[in-house]
Amino acid sequence: MTAKQQRIMFYSAAIFNWCACLVFFTPLGIAGALNLSHSVALSDGPFEQVALMAIALFGLGYWMVARNPDANRGIVLLGLIGKLAVVAIFFGHYFLVGDVNFNLAGLTIGDIIYSGFFFQFLKSPARQQEQQI
């Protein structure tokens, strides 16, 4: 993956996260309109707000990575772990608990795709910055 491709990928990951925040921001009603429901209704409670804030902050982290990928590899590792956890949680609730519909679980396919890209980025060697004297 070229440096330009990496930047585009991380910018798109940031936008993906920010779009998720908009979709699940209850007052907008987007999640309900898309039938992205679960047995416990989405609310504007503090835990949902903290979750949306965390998703938005990860988006900011991906934006930072896009600006300087190699200096922010640690953010990518956290993002990879977070995205895999999101997939495990939502599909666990879909298959094991049954309180999440497939539309909601299916949204995590984006997280699966970004997980693959993040893993590919992390297993590649860091590019050396040119040192200026």
Side-chain angles (χ1 to χ4, degrees), residues 19-20 22-25 28-38 42 101-107:
C19 287
L22 290 175
V23 166
F24 291 108
F25 185 59
L28 296 178
I30 298 171
L34 296 175
N35 195 25
L36 302 174
S37 62
H38 50 84
L42 291 171
N101 67 20
F102 184 75
N103 292 349
L104 185 56
L107 272 184

Side-chain angles (χ1 to χ4, degrees), residues 19-126:
C19 287
C21 289
L22 290 175
V23 166
F24 291 108
F25 185 59
T26 306
L28 296 178
I30 298 171
L34 296 175
N35 195 25
L36 302 174
S37 62
H38 50 84
S39 63
V40 180
L42 291 171
S43 70
D44 251 350
F47 289 106
E48 289 82 4
Q49 290 175 4
V50 168
L52 288 176
M53 180 201 59
I55 294 167
L57 283 175
F58 268 99
L60 177 60
Y62 302 144
W63 196 268
M64 292 167 58
V65 173
R67 295 186 52 87
N68 191 343
D70 289 320
N72 293 296
R73 291 176 79 85
I75 294 172
V76 181
L77 177 58
L78 290 174
L80 173 62
I81 293 166
K83 289 195 175 296
L84 292 174
V86 165
V87 172
I89 290 167
F90 276 92
F91 274 95
H93 276 264
Y94 176 72
F95 286 114
L96 303 174
V97 180
D99 63 347
V100 166
N101 67 20
F102 184 75
N103 292 349
L104 185 56
L107 272 184
T108 65
I109 290 172
D111 291 304
I112 293 169
I113 292 167
Y114 280 110
S115 295
F117 288 144
F118 289 7
F119 180 76
Q120 180 182 353
F121 170 80
L122 289 170
K123 73 178 190 172
S124 68

